[in-house]
Amino acid sequence: MLAKLASQRSSWLLMAASALLLEMVALFFQYGMRLEPCVMCVYQRVAVLGLFGAGLLGAIAPGNLVVRWAGFSAWVVSAAWGLKLAYEHVDLQLDPSPFKQCAFKPDFPDWFKVDQWLPAMFEARGDCTQTVWHFLGLSMPQWMMVIFALYLVVAVVVIIGQFFKKAR
């Protein structure tokens, strides 16, 4: 069943849609609730953008093995990188220290200056160490850890499912 799901365009589009929804929620927090994103938040938005891109990539030709594995690769890298970033962000919030601070401005490579291309979405104006929102006892970066971990677990399960043939 997992092998079949990964070869269907709708599955990949569902992943892209879920990532797009997360980006929209982030913009609601920023503009609707006036919670300014910090550098770590911006980096996590880029990781979610990577998940969106992975979903679109896989949807291009899910029946093509090369395209599907490129989508899996982008999915795993984005989810793992996002989980790492969210963990570091939680660490900054739970153990604030003058020796452990995040940057004031994102440090993207010259070929990927999304903070300059789309400042409304990727410009950092908040403080990484401040916890400004909680839901069910978890802060926003803690929720992002849960979300990225779920994306990663689903990716691993789906990838493992690629190696098992359907019994007839």
Side-chain angles (χ1 to χ4, degrees):
M1 180 175 110
L2 292 174
K4 184 178 178 185
L5 276 175
S7 62
Q8 294 178 346
R9 182 169 282 116
S10 60
S11 300
W12 289 98
L13 289 175
L14 179 62
M15 184 175 84
S18 69
L20 181 61
L21 179 65
L22 286 173
E23 294 288 8
M24 290 170 43
V25 168
L27 291 174
F28 170 76
F29 280 123
Q30 180 176 349
Y31 292 105
M33 296 178 66
R34 305 272 187 231
L35 302 176
E36 295 294 344
C38 67
V39 170
M40 296 301 284
C41 297
V42 167
Y43 289 155
Q44 290 169 68
R45 285 184 184 185
V46 172
V48 172
L49 189 64
L51 291 168
F52 176 73
L56 292 181
L57 178 62
I60 290 171
N64 181 305
L65 192 64
V66 173
V67 172
R68 189 168 58 241
W69 281 96
F72 286 146
S73 298
W75 183 358
V76 169
V77 167
S78 297
W81 186 59
L83 182 59
K84 177 187 174 292
L85 291 167
Y87 176 80
E88 290 172 2
H89 194 177
V90 168
D91 185 48
L92 286 170
Q93 288 185 341
L94 296 180
D95 187 23
S97 165
F99 305 106
K100 210 171 38 171
Q101 297 287 324
C102 66
F104 292 108
K105 185 177 172 226
D107 186 25
F108 291 112
D110 289 335
W111 54 269
F112 191 71
K113 293 289 187 184
V114 290
D115 58 325
Q116 294 172 9
W117 302 337
L118 293 169
M121 188 169 176
F122 296 108
E123 185 178 41
R125 294 182 293 261
D127 181 358
C128 295
T129 60
Q130 289 184 346
T131 305
V132 294
W133 180 86
H134 278 87
F135 180 68
L136 298 176
L138 297 178
S139 68
M140 197 173 305
Q142 289 171 325
W143 276 110
M144 290 310 297
M145 278 182 65
V146 170
I147 290 166
F148 284 123
L150 287 172
Y151 272 110
L152 195 55
V153 166
V154 171
V156 168
V157 168
V158 170
I159 289 169
I160 289 171
Q162 300 302 294
F163 297 103
F164 295 98
K165 301 242 184 213
K166 182 179 174 184
R168 293 181 184 207

